[in-house]
């Protein structure tokens, strides 16, 4: 999940490249760099920094390099520490070839050994630098740029998108793609290159998504496109207008808080916009009505928070639509036996639509003949292009690395989809379908009102206590168990406090040994009348061991309320929507703890917003 941004055009490149990298900094911020062609002698000038863009900007104060051909990079480390030496751009021996790269060159070890035997001197531990030296060697051998590029790409294994800047070809950039996304924006006498079109949103709406296993020679007013066999391809710029607003936090201290508060509107938009389009729903998903009526199995894949949303939605599809649902971690799916079944559909859930593990899972599922569809937030993403249909969640740009509004939009969209499938199968009436849509709108109100109800007197007051905890345990049952997993992930990635989510009944089978008076236990209640008493019994087990118990309880659940040391009460909703009703409060609870600890809320250490490497 690095970012590549390039420019060739009538203007000096640095301003665009830095702005583009800033917009894409969500993809990684361990280090940054910029390179450009010196218009006086066509030499390559460059500067790099550890940390994010702000550190790189300081370099320009003393070294204000710029040029009409330029490129930049922000890095999320895969090979080699987050240091200046490993920051991109990387070079060949003579600094006449420069590269910025997103992805992983899987065979770089053997290539590097071969090049070192030829006398190439390496300066970094990265896989990327190997490409620059290899290209140096091939360019000498082939003399011709096109044949050197073809030789290069046929030697590289892995998933990659990189841009080459060449002192001997000072008016162009070479853009190469294999699996990792990269796109080109066409302006007036200028071309923009980026890992994500967000980088040039507002500057042009003419976009070329580089096809897989292709490369392009890009000048200020031309793009020459070829595949990895050297076959020339037509160049077609789609017109795509990406909603882009200045990176405003809406008066909030962090993007995360802004996005927590956007959730009420996001759920409303998810429902209203998908309902407005419902007559084209099956067509948009690439399914016929008959296929929906005959649907028996869903296989859902996702990562992180999206996987948690899938686990919550499993209850929706099975109990509302009567469709057996299997949920897989995208990164695990390909390495276990796979059983294709008739009347089955695969669903990928992803906020960014660029998560490499999920993309690879989709490719695996398609190879097994599955119909694949994506539930995504970014409809211009690779995942939409690589599946046969998609359901947008309309959450709007989610900037904070920790996913909040995307989670609630995913849960809402999947709840609605489950009812649409049930209606198509004639399992529910139109009245029930409309009731479900209204339920979501009611839950959206509750999600926000519970934050307002508790944000001062309890959450801020207790944040300090929980911030000192050695670790925190989250408990749930049935539909609130995957929600406990999501709460644990939020706490870990934002506060760096270890946390784990358990099914409440599982505690007595071992993890109860973790509980003592220093360990806060957070329990998410359920409305199911059979399960609720059992959950209370689980709460009694932890209280008996002296735990500090925090209960997210529903109104009237006196047994649980009286047991807990701290209580948040939630109005009654459809039992399956209990977690969604609690989502805002849970996120705010974690946010306050992390904020108390002074963590970089929107950009936690070691993470990136879109994980575009496996
Ligand atoms: C969640 O807070 C994390 N940012 C992370 O787990 C994320 O959900 C995961 O990487 C999947 O991303 P995606 O939804 O864009 O595919």
């Amino acid at each position: 999940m690095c970012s590549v941004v390039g420019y060739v055009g009538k203007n000096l490149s640095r301003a665009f490249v830095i702005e583009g990298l800033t917009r894409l900094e969500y993809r990684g911020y361990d280090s940054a760099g910029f390179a450009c062609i010196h218009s006086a002698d066509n030499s390559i000038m460059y500067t790099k920094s550890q940390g994010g863009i702000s550190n790189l900007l300081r370099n320009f104060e003393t070294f204000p390099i710029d040029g009409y051909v330029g490129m930049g990079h922000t890095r999320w480390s895969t090979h080699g520490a987050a240091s200046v030496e490993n920051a991109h751009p990387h070079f060949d021996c003579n600094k006449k070839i420069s590269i910025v790269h997103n992805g992983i060159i899987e065979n770089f070890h053997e290539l590097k050994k071969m090049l070192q035997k030829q006398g190439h001197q390496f300066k970094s531990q990265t896989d990327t630098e190997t490409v620059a030296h290899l290209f140096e060697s091939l360019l000498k051998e082939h003399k011709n740029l096109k044949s050197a590029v073809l030789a290069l790409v046929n030697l590289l294994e892995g998933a990659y998108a990189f841009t080459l800047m060449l002192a001997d070809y000072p008016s162009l950039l070479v853009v190469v793609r294999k699996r990792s996304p990269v796109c080109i924006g066409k302006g007036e006498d200028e071309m923009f290159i980026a890992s994500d079109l967000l980088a040039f949103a507002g500057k042009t709406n003419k976009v070329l998504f580089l096809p897989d296993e292709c490369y392009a020679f890009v000048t200020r007013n031309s793009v020459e496109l070829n595949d990895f066999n050297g076959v020339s391809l037509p160049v077609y710029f789609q017109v795509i207008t990406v909603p882009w607003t200045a990176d405003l936090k809406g008066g909030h201290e962090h993007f995360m808080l802004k996005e927590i508060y956007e959730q009420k509107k996001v759920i409303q938009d998810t429902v209203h916009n998908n309902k407005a389009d419902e007559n084209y729903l099956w067509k948009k998903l690439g399914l016929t009505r008959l296929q929906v009526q005959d649907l028996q199995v869903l296989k859902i894949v996702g990562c992180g928070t999206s996987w948690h949303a899938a686990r919550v939605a499993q209850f929706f599809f099975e109990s509302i639509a009567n469709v057996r649902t299997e949920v897989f971690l995208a990164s695990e799916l390909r390495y276990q036996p796979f059983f294709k079944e008739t009347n089955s559909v695969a669903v990928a859930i992803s906020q960014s639509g660029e998560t490499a593990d999920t993309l690879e899972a989709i490719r695996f599922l398609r190879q097994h003949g599955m119909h694949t569809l994506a539930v995504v937030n970014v409809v211009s993403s690779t995942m939409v292009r690589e599946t046969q249909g998609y359901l947008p969640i309309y959450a709007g740009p989610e900037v904070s690395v920790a996913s909040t509004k995307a989670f609630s939009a995913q849960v809402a969209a999947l709840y609605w989809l489950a009812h649409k499938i049930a209606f198509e199968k004639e399992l529910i009436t139109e009245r029930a379908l409309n009731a479900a849509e209204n339920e979501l709108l009611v839950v959206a109100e509750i999600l926000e009102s519970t934050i307002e109800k508790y944000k001062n007197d309890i959450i801020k007051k207790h944040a300090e206590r929980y911030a000192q905890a050695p670790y925190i345990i989250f408990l749930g049952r049935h539909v609130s168990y995957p929600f406990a997993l999501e709460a644990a992930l939020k706490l870990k990635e934002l506060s760096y406090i270890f946390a784990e989510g358990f099914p409440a009944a599982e505690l007595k089978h071992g993890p109860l040994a973790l509980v003592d008076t220093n360990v806060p236990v957070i329990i998410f209640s359920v409305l199911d009348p059979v399960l609720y008493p059992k959950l209370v019994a689980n709460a009694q087990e932890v209280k008996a061991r002296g735990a500090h118990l925090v209960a997210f309880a529903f109104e009237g659940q006196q047994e649980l309320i009286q047991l807990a040391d701290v209580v948040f009460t939630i109005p009654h909703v459809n039992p399956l929507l209990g977690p969604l009703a609690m989502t805002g409060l849970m996120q705010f609870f974690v946010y306050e703890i992390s904020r108390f600890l002074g963590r970089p809320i929107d950009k936690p250490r070691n993470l990136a917003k879109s994980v575009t490497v496996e």
Side-chain angles (χ1 to χ4, degrees):
M1 61 300 266
C2 303
S3 289
V4 166
V5 175
Y7 178 88
V8 190
K10 61 193 176 191
N11 298 319
L12 288 171
S13 60
R14 191 174 88 203
F16 163 71
V17 171
I18 295 304
E19 183 187 349
L21 289 176
T22 305
R23 292 186 186 189
L24 303 191
E25 206 175 11
Y26 68 83
R27 297 165 61 89
Y29 32 85
D30 290 339
S31 61
F34 173 75
C36 60
I37 295 282
H38 192 323
S39 44
D41 61 6
N42 293 338
S43 63
I44 297 176
M45 301 182 290
Y46 72 96
T47 183
K48 313 189 204 185
S49 70
Q50 195 166 351
I53 303 280
S54 51
N55 295 352
L56 183 66
L57 289 174
R58 274 198 281 277
N59 294 5
F60 294 124
E61 290 164 15
T62 51
F63 188 45
I65 58 173
D66 211 338
Y68 294 94
V69 180
M71 63 185 190
H73 184 271
T74 50
R75 182 172 183 247
W76 183 80
S77 315
T78 53
H79 295 78
S83 62
V84 175
E85 296 71 31
N86 290 327
H88 300 206
H90 290 288
F91 296 86
D92 67 324
C93 297
N94 304 311
K95 292 229 176 9
K96 298 192 74 175
I97 296 167
S98 177
I99 179 171
V100 288
H101 161 231
N102 172 38
I104 291 182
I105 308 297
E106 292 178 350
N107 61 334
F108 91 96
H109 282 298
E110 50 265 37
L111 292 170
K112 185 169 181 176
K113 279 197 202 117
M114 173 192 75
L115 291 161
Q116 284 171 322
K117 281 189 186 133
Q118 291 174 7
H120 289 264
Q121 298 297 314
F122 284 78
K123 294 191 169 37
S124 79
Q125 298 87 28
T126 66
D127 53 338
T128 306
E129 188 185 3
T130 304
V131 180
H133 289 282
L134 181 58
F135 193 58
E136 174 189 9
S137 167
L138 293 168
L139 209 45
K140 282 183 189 137
E141 184 186 330
H142 287 261
K143 303 297 181 207
N144 169 290
L145 185 58
K146 188 171 175 181
S147 52
V149 172
L150 284 177
L152 175 71
V153 296
N154 285 300
L155 284 171
L156 300 179
E157 293 168 16
Y160 52 81
F162 58 77
T163 298
L164 294 169
M165 179 185 285
L166 310 168
D168 292 342
Y169 299 83
S171 60
L172 66 77
L173 289 175
V174 182
V175 186
V176 185
R177 180 210 171 185
K178 182 177 182 184
R179 290 183 179 276
S180 296
V182 64
C183 53
I184 299 171
K186 179 177 176 11
E188 289 301 318
D189 202 18
E190 57 188 359
M191 294 286 182
F192 309 100
I193 295 157
S195 303
D196 178 337
L197 58 75
L198 208 52
F200 50 74
K203 294 176 179 6
T204 180
N205 61 6
K206 299 181 183 66
V207 186
L208 164 66
F209 295 100
L210 220 66
D212 197 12
E213 299 197 1
C214 282
Y215 68 89
F217 295 150
V218 182
T219 68
R220 63 194 294 175
N221 46 32
S222 72
V223 173
E224 181 191 337
L225 185 64
N226 300 282
D227 68 15
F228 281 6
N229 298 312
V231 175
S232 175
L233 300 172
V235 174
Y236 167 65
F237 287 94
Q238 300 177 47
V239 175
I240 295 181
T241 303
V242 178
W244 170 254
T245 51
D247 267 1
L248 298 177
K249 297 176 188 167
H252 295 288
E253 188 178 349
H254 297 105
F255 277 109
M256 181 180 173
L257 196 55
K258 171 175 176 267
E259 289 155 6
I260 286 174
Y261 277 110
E262 285 177 338
Q263 291 183 105
K264 181 172 100 173
K265 182 176 181 312
V266 160
I267 293 172
Q268 292 165 346
D269 291 349
T270 300
V271 176
H272 293 146
N273 293 338
N274 276 308
K275 185 166 180 57
D277 225 6
E278 66 183 334
N279 295 334
Y280 309 99
L281 175 62
W282 307 132
K283 185 172 173 30
K284 211 157 66 173
L285 300 186
L287 295 168
T288 66
R289 290 186 63 180
L290 188 59
Q291 282 175 313
V292 178
Q293 288 158 5
D294 292 345
L295 181 65
Q296 290 171 347
V297 179
L298 281 178
K299 295 181 185 276
I300 309 182
V301 295
C303 302
T305 290
S306 293
W307 183 73
H308 295 147
R311 291 289 302 274
V312 171
Q314 182 175 12
F315 292 95
F316 303 162
F317 291 115
E318 294 196 333
S319 54
I320 298 163
N322 194 34
V323 174
R324 181 162 60 79
T325 302
E326 295 174 296
V327 179
F328 301 89
L329 279 172
S331 55
E332 292 290 315
L333 175 71
R334 289 177 289 141
Y335 307 107
Q336 61 192 48
F338 178 76
F339 304 96
K340 179 151 177 2
E341 300 174 77
T342 53
N343 300 327
S344 63
V345 166
V347 182
I349 298 181
S350 174
Q351 188 283 130
S352 62
E354 299 297 348
T355 301
D357 287 326
T358 312
L359 281 168
E360 291 301 337
I362 288 167
R363 291 159 187 159
F364 173 83
L365 289 160
R366 293 197 64 175
Q367 283 157 16
H368 282 79
M370 289 289 294
H371 180 93
T372 57
L373 55 99
V375 177
V376 288
N377 192 30
V378 183
V379 295
S380 58
S381 62
T382 303
M383 213 163 283
V384 171
R385 292 194 295 278
E386 295 203 12
T387 50
Q388 287 102 314
Y390 70 97
L391 181 70
I393 64 169
Y394 299 103
E398 185 177 69
V399 175
S400 190
V401 167
S403 193
T404 50
K405 62 177 183 173
F407 174 74
S408 46
Q410 287 166 344
V411 171
L414 293 165
Y415 186 77
W416 181 78
L417 181 59
H419 281 85
K420 286 295 290 179
I421 292 169
F423 179 64
E424 196 62 51
K425 284 170 165 279
E426 299 182 356
L427 297 173
I428 63 171
T429 62
E430 187 165 14
R431 182 188 172 88
L433 174 59
N434 293 335
E437 289 157 355
N438 290 328
E439 277 172 348
L440 284 170
L441 302 179
V442 167
V443 167
E445 294 289 346
I446 291 171
L447 183 148
E448 185 167 283
S449 61
T450 46
I451 296 174
E452 292 314 302
K453 179 178 174 186
Y454 288 110
K455 72 179 184 182
N456 293 319
D457 66 343
I458 291 192
I459 287 188
K460 290 191 179 183
K461 195 167 75 177
H462 290 268
E464 182 175 352
R465 175 198 184 103
Y466 304 128
Q468 315 305 330
Y471 49 84
I472 292 182
I473 289 174
F474 291 92
L475 302 178
R477 291 199 71 148
H478 192 261
V479 72
S480 76
Y481 164 48
F483 185 67
L485 295 176
E486 171 59 12
L489 173 63
K490 284 282 135 343
L491 188 72
K492 284 179 281 195
E493 67 177 329
L494 287 159
S495 70
Y496 314 157
I497 296 171
F498 182 71
E500 192 164 342
F502 294 100
E506 269 302 293
L507 222 55
K508 59 186 176 290
H509 299 292
L512 196 57
L514 290 169
V515 172
D516 66 22
T517 53
N518 297 320
V519 176
V521 176
I522 321 292
I523 193 163
F524 299 114
S525 187
V526 290
L527 280 163
D528 179 288
V530 172
L531 271 176
Y532 167 65
K534 297 179 185 302
L535 182 126
V536 170
N538 302 144
Q540 281 161 340
E541 287 157 14
V542 296
K543 276 306 288 175
R545 273 81 184 169
H548 171 85
L549 182 66
V550 178
F552 284 62
F554 291 99
E555 286 167 353
Q557 293 189 328
Q558 291 313 111
E559 301 81 0
L560 183 59
I561 290 167
Q562 281 156 16
L563 257 182
D565 300 286
V566 171
V567 179
F568 305 124
T569 56
I570 318 286
H572 282 228
V573 295
N574 180 302
L576 291 176
L577 290 176
L580 189 57
M582 297 177 179
T583 293
L585 197 56
M586 176 276 283
Q587 293 161 347
F588 193 84
F589 179 80
V590 171
Y591 169 82
E592 280 301 321
I593 293 169
S594 311
R595 183 171 170 275
F596 177 84
L597 289 168
R599 301 296 188 215
I601 300 276
D602 289 327
K603 294 178 187 168
R605 68 183 179 193
N606 307 340
L607 301 182
K609 181 62 181 173
S610 178
V611 186
T612 57
V613 290
E614 287 183 71

